[in-house]
């Protein structure tokens, strides 16, 4: 089971005693700030929660699994998340 954005907004509004509009704005701004930092190539560390980091994969030669023919795989950047110790301790 996963939690949707709407469920996060509801939970934040309830726990912080905020309106849903203010909770939505807080979540949206937080995600925007994280996205902007990652787009600039910066790491984002939230102490106790975890670290978001951009990792680069170089171009490489791979194989098409259906035909076995060699093919070029383009370089790309991906976002990785490493959970902090507090978060890891909560997930059992």
């Amino acid at each position: 089971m996963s939690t949707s954005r709407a469920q996060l907004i509801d939970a934040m509004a309830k726990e912080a005693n905020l309106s849903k509009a203010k909770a939505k704005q807080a979540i949206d701004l937080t995600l925007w700030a994280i996205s902007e930092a990652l787009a600039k190539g910066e790491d984002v560390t939230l102490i106790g929660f975890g670290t978001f980091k951009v990792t680069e994969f170089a171009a490489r030669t791979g194989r098409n699994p259906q035909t076995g023919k060699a093919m070029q795989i383009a370089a790309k950047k991906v976002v990785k998340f490493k959970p902090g110790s507090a978060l890891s301790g909560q997930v059992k």
Side-chain angles (χ1 to χ4, degrees):
M1 185 174 182
S2 63
T3 299
S4 70
R5 181 184 215 120
Q7 290 169 321
L8 287 174
I9 291 167
D10 290 344
M12 181 181 229
K14 182 179 177 183
E15 288 297 316
N17 197 24
L18 296 170
S19 68
K20 286 186 182 182
K22 288 288 185 187
K24 179 185 181 308
Q25 183 180 28
I27 288 174
D28 289 346
L29 287 172
T30 300
L31 296 177
W32 172 83
I34 291 170
S35 298
E36 287 292 309
L38 292 171
K40 293 177 188 173
E42 300 170 357
D43 295 349
V44 177
T45 301
L46 304 171
I47 303 298
F49 184 74
T51 301
F52 296 91
K53 186 176 197 170
V54 176
T55 302
E56 295 185 45
F57 287 100
R60 64 191 189 281
T61 301
R63 296 229 173 258
N64 181 324
Q66 292 180 334
T67 65
K69 288 179 69 177
M71 58 186 274
Q72 191 64 22
I73 300 171
K76 67 178 179 177
K77 294 180 181 181
V78 297
V79 177
K80 291 192 174 186
F81 176 73
K82 181 178 178 188
S85 58
L87 178 61
S88 293
Q90 288 181 328
V91 179
K92 296 179 182 181

